Amino acid sequence: MAGQNDERKFPRREFLVRTLQLPCSAAVVTVLGPLALGSDAAAASQSGSETSEHYFGMGIQVDKCIGCGKCVEACKAENDVPREPYYFRTWVERYVIHNDGDVSVDSPEGGIRGFPLHEGESDVLRSFFVPKLCNQCDNPPCVQVCPVGATFKTDDGVVLVDSDYCIGCRYCIQACPYGARYLDPRTNTADKCTFCYHRITQGLLPACVEVCPTGARIFGELNALASPLRRLMRMSSLQVLKPALNTEPKVFYSKLDGEVR
Amino acid sequence: MKIWRIPDQVIRLAVVLVAAVAVLVVVRGRFVPASFGETGHYRADAVDVVAAQPIRYAGSQICVECHDGEGEAKSGSFHRTVSCEVCHGPAAAHAEDFESQTPLIPRERGAECLSCHEYLSPRPTGFPQIIERLHNPLQPCIGCHDPHDPTPPEVPESCSACHAQIARTKAVSHHLTLECETCHDAQAEHREEPRSFLPRKPTAREFCGSCHSESADSPADIPRVDLRDHGERYLCWQCHYPHHPES
């Protein structure tokens, strides 16, 4: 047989060595490859956490909101949000709880022009305003679903949209459990509250916090030892919206009624 | 004869593979933005793009650098937490160029005051509210109130001037005929400095019992309970809302 005749030309030892080399080299590549790449990624994230000294959050005192809508107006002016009444980065909802326990929620034009007197006023057990905005989740569903990496969480904890990179697929608008996103009709890209990132990086307050006449909104550092926000967190019991979704919002509400969704 | 002759088909496959990898590298280099992945699965430069957005609201700290008189008046008044730009509108352009850019100066009776001070039941108790069509009709607000120090020119006569929500609730309840002072002992100073002199509230079950207990000396149609066995573990207002006891 040919194999037996050619034994000297292709010895068994060489055959075994060569057959073993293949899986060995594959194993080396699979083990070392990710290690080499991983060290790059680790270095990048380390430098990222070094540069970020901020971790922003917001507190909202529901019992101080007077429903004047100045925050909605200021947000639209500051961030050039379309004026049509279906595009909001922040808006105010009015909850009315009737004597029979029924709850009605309204937000005419997001509350930008205030609220009309509620009809059937004598039937009201209690009512209050709840300002809403992007919750800047620590575990953001909108970021998970973005197919291109156009929405992301910065090291400051703020969730932003890269409008140059967004393809306008609307997945993030569907994914947001708080209804905080909209599709900008001029650019056909997703948009949302940025905590006024251009202001807070320069030491200013977000526009809605700046104009809130009663101080219902408090903005600050979540990891600072002393800040107005930390004081609020120390002094009052706080809730977040839809805690069961495990989105870990960084917008905290105090004195929030159990009916608020 | 060579032992390790690379077969032709392997060479062809290798050429295709190398070409495919080359195309992938070129296409990836062409389409993936420069800073993508530097700090995460996103374009790191996008953070700077968002941060470069122009500022419209200057912040009241800048306003009072020139308008120090108004800032001084406001800092001790009820409007101390109200930023200048709440009424005067976004003023960053005015702060840059104060000669050609003028902010809003609202003088008429209208939305600027009423968006906060018109009566609405969801507004917090104690927040000063008026019913616009009853409160000095057609007069401009700034005729009587200085917006930078809006202390009312006359001390409010009725509790409902500030506590409109409670007054309105009480007006449709069985307690409508009771004066606020029946239950609350409000000092005179409360009308001028409401937060420094808080009115007192009842502290004991016996206070409600003075009308509603079996032995009370009160009109016969008032509902009665036996204080000894009616909710003895609780204070009355832990279950009943005194301004609307039916609810």
Side-chain angles (χ1 to χ4, degrees), chain A residues 9 18 44 63 66 68 70 74 77-79 121 125 127-129 149 152 162 164-165 197-199 210-211 213, chain B residues 3-4 33 36 38 42-43 46 51 53-57 59-60 81 83 86 112 115 121-124 127 168 247:
Chain A
K9 290 176 181 171
R18 282 177 187 263
D63 59 335
I66 57 170
C68 62
K70 298 285 186 191
E78 179 72 35
N79 294 299
E121 189 77 6
L125 181 58
S127 57
F128 47 88
F129 296 110
F152 54 93
D162 180 353
D164 291 346
Y165 208 49
Y197 198 71
H198 58 297
R199 296 174 64 85
E210 173 68 34
V211 303
Chain B
I3 307 168
W4 262 140
F36 199 93
E38 274 177 19
Y42 60 91
R43 207 166 58 90
Q53 198 185 314
I55 288 173
R56 307 259 160 80
Y57 282 82
S60 48
T81 59
S83 173
V86 174
E112 290 308 327
S115 61
S121 62
R123 291 202 162 135
F127 185 79
R168 229 181 129 92
S247 64

Side-chain angles (χ1 to χ4, degrees), chain B residues 98-245:
Chain B
F98 63 90
E99 281 173 343
S100 66
Q101 302 288 328
T102 318
L104 295 173
I105 306 172
R107 295 190 186 281
E108 296 80 35
R109 180 189 185 100
E112 290 308 327
C113 299
L114 292 171
S115 61
C116 292
H117 292 293
E118 172 74 329
Y119 169 69
L120 276 180
S121 62
R123 291 202 162 135
T125 295
F127 185 79
Q129 298 163 70
I130 60 159
I131 293 169
E132 197 263 335
R133 74 198 147 76
L134 303 178
H135 184 95
N136 301 326
L138 301 175
Q139 302 287 319
C141 305
I142 61 171
C144 303
H145 305 273
D146 175 1
H148 297 123
D149 184 6
T151 309
E154 288 162 29
V155 173
E157 286 171 27
S158 65
C159 302
S160 65
C162 299
H163 304 282
Q165 184 186 3
I166 287 175
R168 229 181 129 92
T169 309
K170 193 163 77 68
V172 294
S173 83
H174 283 106
H175 279 170
L176 84 159
T177 54
L178 295 184
E179 295 295 327
C180 301
E181 288 81 4
T182 312
C183 306
H184 299 285
D185 176 19
Q187 306 105 302
E189 293 91 335
H190 172 70
R191 290 165 189 259
E192 285 157 28
E193 293 180 65
R195 286 182 176 82
S196 306
F197 298 90
L198 294 174
R200 280 186 279 275
K201 296 172 181 176
T203 53
R205 287 156 51 82
E206 286 66 34
F207 182 85
C208 300
S210 63
C211 289
H212 291 290
S213 72
E214 298 275 349
S215 57
D217 179 23
S218 58
D221 55 339
I222 287 181
R224 310 293 179 129
V225 294
D226 189 347
L227 281 187
R228 285 167 301 178
D229 63 4
H230 178 85
E232 67 276 9
R233 291 164 53 215
Y234 300 104
L235 294 165
C236 306
W237 47 91
Q238 287 179 295
C239 305
H240 306 279
Y241 181 50
H243 300 125
H244 196 254

Side-chain angles (χ1 to χ4, degrees), chain A residues 152-210:
Chain A
F152 54 93
K153 196 178 78 176
T154 66
D155 297 329
D156 304 335
V158 184
V159 178
L160 297 178
V161 180
D162 180 353
S163 61
D164 291 346
Y165 208 49
C166 173
I167 56 172
C169 71
R170 301 165 172 84
Y171 277 178
C172 55
I173 299 172
Q174 292 278 333
C176 176
Y178 305 103
R181 284 172 166 260
Y182 61 93
L183 196 83
D184 192 315
R186 297 163 301 191
T187 57
N188 269 323
T189 55
D191 213 343
K192 62 179 278 298
C193 163
T194 62
F195 267 170
C196 280
Y197 198 71
H198 58 297
R199 296 174 64 85
I200 58 178
T201 45
Q202 296 188 33
L204 292 166
L205 290 170
C208 59
V209 179
E210 173 68 34

